[in-house]
Amino acid sequence: MNQQPSLLGTGMYPLARAARLVRAELRTVRRWLKGYSWKHGDGRKISGPLWTLEYAGDEEFGDEQVLGFHDLLELRTVARFVEQGVSLQVIRATIDVARETLGDYPLHSRRFVTDGKKIFLEAVERAGEDPKLLDVRKQQFAMDAVIRPSLLEGIEYGADASALRWFPMPRKRLVVLDPQVQFGEPIVAESGVPTDTLAAAFKAEGENVERVARLYRVKPLEVKAAVAFEQQLAA
Protein backbone atom coordinates (compact mmCIF):
# COMPACT_ATOMS: atom_id res chain seq x y z
CA MET A 1 0.00 0.00 0.00
CA ASN A 2 1.30 3.49 -0.87
CA GLN A 3 2.27 5.65 2.06
CA GLN A 4 -0.01 8.64 2.15
CA PRO A 5 1.43 12.00 3.22
CA SER A 6 -0.27 13.75 6.09
CA LEU A 7 -2.53 16.59 4.99
CA LEU A 8 -1.57 18.48 8.15
CA GLY A 9 1.46 20.67 7.58
CA THR A 10 1.98 19.52 3.99
CA GLY A 11 0.03 22.17 2.13
CA MET A 12 -2.31 21.44 -0.75
CA TYR A 13 -2.28 23.25 -4.08
CA PRO A 14 -4.15 22.02 -7.18
CA LEU A 15 -2.04 22.47 -10.29
CA ALA A 16 -3.91 25.52 -11.60
CA ARG A 17 -3.67 27.24 -8.22
CA ALA A 18 0.04 26.49 -7.95
CA ALA A 19 0.67 27.90 -11.42
CA ARG A 20 -1.05 31.17 -10.47
CA LEU A 21 0.88 31.42 -7.21
CA VAL A 22 4.24 31.20 -8.98
CA ARG A 23 2.96 33.25 -11.93
CA ALA A 24 3.57 30.66 -14.60
CA GLU A 25 1.37 29.36 -17.40
CA LEU A 26 -0.66 26.30 -16.45
CA ARG A 27 0.21 24.44 -19.65
CA THR A 28 3.91 25.00 -19.04
CA VAL A 29 3.74 23.94 -15.40
CA ARG A 30 1.87 20.79 -16.38
CA ARG A 31 4.69 19.89 -18.80
CA TRP A 32 7.30 20.46 -16.09
CA LEU A 33 5.53 18.30 -13.52
CA LYS A 34 3.83 15.66 -15.64
CA GLY A 35 6.38 15.31 -18.43
CA TYR A 36 5.75 15.24 -22.15
CA SER A 37 6.73 13.46 -25.35
CA TRP A 38 7.57 14.59 -28.86
CA LYS A 39 8.08 13.03 -32.24
CA HIS A 40 11.68 12.07 -33.00
CA GLY A 41 12.53 10.29 -36.23
CA ASP A 42 10.27 7.28 -36.59
CA GLY A 43 9.39 7.21 -32.91
CA ARG A 44 8.88 9.48 -29.93
CA LYS A 45 11.08 10.78 -27.13
CA ILE A 46 9.86 11.20 -23.59
CA SER A 47 10.81 13.82 -21.02
CA GLY A 48 9.70 12.85 -17.52
CA PRO A 49 8.60 15.16 -14.70
CA LEU A 50 11.27 17.34 -13.09
CA TRP A 51 10.62 15.65 -9.73
CA THR A 52 8.10 13.43 -7.95
CA LEU A 53 5.37 15.41 -6.20
CA GLU A 54 4.74 15.04 -2.47
CA TYR A 55 1.27 13.61 -3.10
CA ALA A 56 2.34 11.24 -5.89
CA GLY A 57 1.79 8.18 -3.69
CA ASP A 58 -1.52 9.36 -2.27
CA GLU A 59 -4.44 7.13 -3.26
CA GLU A 60 -6.84 10.06 -3.55
CA PHE A 61 -4.67 12.86 -4.96
CA GLY A 62 -1.83 10.98 -6.67
CA ASP A 63 -3.34 11.17 -10.15
CA GLU A 64 -4.53 14.76 -9.84
CA GLN A 65 -1.16 16.52 -9.66
CA VAL A 66 -1.79 18.22 -6.35
CA LEU A 67 1.30 19.99 -5.03
CA GLY A 68 2.54 20.19 -1.47
CA PHE A 69 4.25 23.22 0.07
CA HIS A 70 7.76 22.02 -0.82
CA ASP A 71 6.63 21.30 -4.37
CA LEU A 72 5.32 24.85 -4.61
CA LEU A 73 8.62 26.39 -3.50
CA GLU A 74 10.58 24.22 -5.94
CA LEU A 75 8.19 25.26 -8.71
CA ARG A 76 8.71 28.91 -7.78
CA THR A 77 12.47 28.57 -8.25
CA VAL A 78 12.09 26.69 -11.54
CA ALA A 79 9.80 29.44 -12.85
CA ARG A 80 12.41 32.05 -11.99
CA PHE A 81 15.15 30.05 -13.73
CA VAL A 82 13.03 29.93 -16.87
CA GLU A 83 12.39 33.69 -16.63
CA GLN A 84 16.16 34.19 -16.74
CA GLY A 85 16.48 32.10 -19.89
CA VAL A 86 17.89 28.91 -18.35
CA SER A 87 17.01 25.87 -20.46
CA LEU A 88 14.83 23.12 -19.03
CA GLN A 89 17.63 20.66 -19.74
CA VAL A 90 19.99 22.59 -17.46
CA ILE A 91 17.28 23.02 -14.82
CA ARG A 92 16.69 19.26 -14.80
CA ALA A 93 20.42 18.62 -14.46
CA THR A 94 20.63 21.23 -11.68
CA ILE A 95 17.92 19.44 -9.71
CA ASP A 96 19.66 16.08 -10.20
CA VAL A 97 23.07 17.42 -9.12
CA ALA A 98 21.63 19.34 -6.15
CA ARG A 99 19.60 16.36 -4.95
CA GLU A 100 22.76 14.28 -4.62
CA THR A 101 24.11 16.55 -1.86
CA LEU A 102 21.09 18.48 -0.60
CA GLY A 103 18.38 15.82 -0.64
CA ASP A 104 14.81 16.13 -1.88
CA TYR A 105 13.51 19.55 -2.88
CA PRO A 106 17.01 21.05 -3.11
CA LEU A 107 16.18 24.26 -4.98
CA HIS A 108 14.78 25.99 -1.91
CA SER A 109 17.31 24.46 0.48
CA ARG A 110 19.20 27.09 2.42
CA ARG A 111 22.47 25.48 1.37
CA PHE A 112 21.59 26.16 -2.24
CA VAL A 113 22.35 29.84 -1.51
CA THR A 114 26.04 29.06 -1.03
CA ASP A 115 26.43 26.00 -3.26
CA GLY A 116 24.08 27.00 -6.08
CA LYS A 117 26.61 28.47 -8.48
CA LYS A 118 28.90 25.46 -8.25
CA ILE A 119 25.94 23.11 -8.69
CA PHE A 120 24.69 25.11 -11.65
CA LEU A 121 28.01 24.92 -13.52
CA GLU A 122 28.23 21.16 -12.95
CA ALA A 123 24.67 20.85 -14.22
CA VAL A 124 25.56 22.79 -17.37
CA GLU A 125 28.33 20.27 -18.08
CA ARG A 126 26.05 17.30 -17.41
CA ALA A 127 23.41 18.75 -19.70
CA GLY A 128 25.96 18.86 -22.50
CA GLU A 129 26.22 22.63 -22.65
CA ASP A 130 29.85 23.75 -22.72
CA PRO A 131 30.38 26.38 -19.98
CA LYS A 132 33.16 27.92 -22.08
CA LEU A 133 30.64 28.75 -24.79
CA LEU A 134 28.19 30.34 -22.37
CA ASP A 135 28.31 33.96 -21.26
CA VAL A 136 29.83 33.81 -17.77
CA ARG A 137 28.27 37.12 -16.82
CA LYS A 138 24.88 35.85 -17.92
CA GLN A 139 25.33 32.73 -15.78
CA GLN A 140 26.27 34.87 -12.79
CA PHE A 141 23.27 37.11 -13.33
CA ALA A 142 20.89 34.18 -13.71
CA MET A 143 22.04 32.55 -10.48
CA ASP A 144 21.98 35.78 -8.47
CA ALA A 145 18.59 36.71 -9.89
CA VAL A 146 17.15 33.30 -9.00
CA ILE A 147 18.78 32.43 -5.70
CA ARG A 148 18.36 35.69 -3.82
CA PRO A 149 14.65 36.27 -4.54
CA SER A 150 13.78 32.58 -4.24
CA LEU A 151 15.65 31.78 -1.04
CA LEU A 152 16.41 34.96 0.86
CA GLU A 153 13.36 37.10 0.16
CA GLY A 154 10.13 35.94 1.71
CA ILE A 155 11.08 32.44 2.86
CA GLU A 156 11.18 31.85 6.61
CA TYR A 157 13.40 28.97 7.70
CA GLY A 158 13.33 26.89 10.85
CA ALA A 159 16.20 25.85 13.10
CA ASP A 160 16.90 22.84 10.85
CA ALA A 161 17.17 25.14 7.78
CA SER A 162 13.91 23.80 6.34
CA ALA A 163 11.43 26.24 4.82
CA LEU A 164 8.52 26.94 7.16
CA ARG A 165 6.54 29.75 5.54
CA TRP A 166 6.52 31.88 2.40
CA PHE A 167 5.71 35.59 2.43
CA PRO A 168 4.90 36.30 -1.24
CA MET A 169 4.93 40.06 -0.61
CA PRO A 170 8.14 40.10 1.45
CA ARG A 171 8.51 43.83 2.04
CA LYS A 172 5.34 44.11 4.14
CA ARG A 173 5.05 40.45 5.28
CA LEU A 174 1.29 40.83 5.69
CA VAL A 175 0.37 37.82 3.52
CA VAL A 176 1.80 34.37 4.17
CA LEU A 177 1.53 30.78 2.94
CA ASP A 178 1.96 28.50 5.95
CA PRO A 179 1.42 24.74 5.42
CA GLN A 180 0.37 24.47 9.06
CA VAL A 181 -2.59 26.83 8.53
CA GLN A 182 -5.50 26.60 6.06
CA PHE A 183 -3.68 23.86 4.08
CA GLY A 184 -1.08 26.43 3.05
CA GLU A 185 -3.47 28.77 1.28
CA PRO A 186 -2.56 32.51 1.32
CA ILE A 187 -3.75 34.13 4.52
CA VAL A 188 -3.31 37.37 6.40
CA ALA A 189 -0.34 36.61 8.63
CA GLU A 190 -1.63 38.07 11.90
CA SER A 191 -5.26 36.92 11.87
CA GLY A 192 -5.16 33.86 9.60
CA VAL A 193 -8.07 35.00 7.41
CA PRO A 194 -7.67 33.75 3.80
CA THR A 195 -6.82 36.49 1.33
CA ASP A 196 -9.48 35.34 -1.14
CA THR A 197 -12.13 35.65 1.59
CA LEU A 198 -11.15 39.25 2.30
CA ALA A 199 -10.93 40.08 -1.39
CA ALA A 200 -14.40 38.64 -2.02
CA ALA A 201 -15.82 40.58 0.95
CA PHE A 202 -14.16 43.75 -0.33
CA LYS A 203 -15.98 43.37 -3.63
CA ALA A 204 -19.29 42.42 -2.00
CA GLU A 205 -19.15 45.39 0.38
CA GLY A 206 -18.70 47.94 -2.38
CA GLU A 207 -14.91 48.12 -1.90
CA ASN A 208 -15.38 49.49 1.62
CA VAL A 209 -12.09 48.63 3.33
CA GLU A 210 -13.14 49.84 6.78
CA ARG A 211 -16.33 47.77 6.78
CA VAL A 212 -14.53 44.60 5.71
CA ALA A 213 -11.92 45.20 8.41
CA ARG A 214 -14.65 45.47 11.04
CA LEU A 215 -16.51 42.40 9.77
CA TYR A 216 -13.43 40.16 9.93
CA ARG A 217 -11.72 41.93 12.84
CA VAL A 218 -8.57 42.68 10.89
CA LYS A 219 -6.69 45.86 10.18
CA PRO A 220 -7.58 47.95 7.11
CA LEU A 221 -3.97 47.57 6.00
CA GLU A 222 -4.44 43.80 5.98
CA VAL A 223 -7.56 44.07 3.84
CA LYS A 224 -5.68 46.21 1.34
CA ALA A 225 -2.79 43.72 1.28
CA ALA A 226 -5.16 40.79 0.72
CA VAL A 227 -6.93 42.58 -2.11
CA ALA A 228 -3.64 43.60 -3.74
CA PHE A 229 -2.32 40.04 -3.53
CA GLU A 230 -5.46 38.50 -5.06
CA GLN A 231 -5.43 41.10 -7.83
CA GLN A 232 -1.84 40.12 -8.63
CA LEU A 233 -2.88 36.47 -8.94
CA ALA A 234 -5.73 37.40 -11.26
CA ALA A 235 -3.59 39.60 -13.50
Side-chain angles (χ1 to χ4, degrees):
M1 180 179 294
N2 292 328
Q3 183 177 2
Q4 300 198 51
S6 171
L7 299 181
L8 181 62
T10 305
M12 183 182 295
Y13 309 92
L15 194 64
R17 180 65 164 165
R20 286 196 299 272
L21 287 169
V22 302
R23 302 183 189 180
E25 291 185 0
L26 174 59
R27 181 176 63 178
T28 302
V29 170
R30 183 178 288 114
R31 285 166 60 89
W32 294 346
L33 299 181
K34 189 175 182 178
Y36 56 94
S37 65
W38 68 96
K39 188 175 181 180
H40 182 76
D42 295 331
R44 298 191 68 82
K45 280 196 169 184
I46 297 176
S47 179
L50 291 178
W51 68 88
T52 302
L53 298 178
E54 289 184 79
Y55 285 105
D58 188 277
E59 293 179 357
E60 185 173 357
F61 302 117
D63 295 330
E64 298 183 19
Q65 285 196 287
V66 175
L67 281 69
F69 182 67
H70 294 296
D71 294 320
L72 184 69
L73 295 188
E74 292 289 283
L75 183 63
R76 176 176 178 250
T77 306
V78 169
R80 290 202 56 83
F81 268 126
V82 172
E83 285 177 7
Q84 298 302 324
V86 180
S87 72
L88 198 62
Q89 186 177 3
V90 170
I91 292 173
R92 184 184 299 278
T94 299
I95 294 172
D96 290 341
V97 173
R99 189 183 290 122
E100 292 173 4
T101 56
L102 304 180
D104 293 334
Y105 311 108
L107 297 186
H108 68 276
S109 163
R110 204 164 198 169
R111 282 184 56 196
F112 196 64
V113 174
T114 55
D115 298 344
K117 292 177 184 178
K118 178 181 177 182
I119 290 170
F120 182 68
L121 288 176
E122 183 177 341
V124 167
E125 293 179 350
R126 283 199 190 185
E129 300 189 23
D130 188 347
K132 295 179 182 179
L133 301 179
L134 298 176
D135 186 337
V136 176
R137 290 185 179 180
K138 187 176 181 180
Q139 292 177 26
Q140 182 85 8
F141 173 77
M143 291 305 297
D144 287 343
V146 171
I147 289 178
R148 189 163 299 278
S150 296
L151 296 179
L152 298 182
E153 292 182 10
I155 304 298
E156 182 178 294
Y157 289 90
D160 61 351
S162 62
L164 299 179
R165 305 197 294 173
W166 171 26
F167 293 88
M169 304 170 73
R171 292 183 180 180
K172 296 182 178 180
R173 295 175 71 89
L174 294 173
V175 173
V176 67
L177 282 75
D178 184 342
Q180 300 290 340
V181 183
Q182 294 283 353
F183 297 102
E185 278 294 301
I187 60 174
V188 172
E190 186 173 330
S191 65
V193 180
T195 56
D196 58 358
T197 297
L198 292 175
F202 174 75
K203 184 177 181 180
E205 297 296 333
E207 300 187 355
N208 189 323
V209 171
E210 297 293 337
R211 177 165 174 76
V212 174
R214 289 196 302 272
L215 286 172
Y216 287 90
R217 297 182 180 180
V218 299
K219 299 173 183 176
L221 187 64
E222 294 172 316
V223 176
K224 292 179 181 178
V227 170
F229 176 74
E230 289 296 326
Q231 288 176 341
Q232 284 182 6
L233 293 185

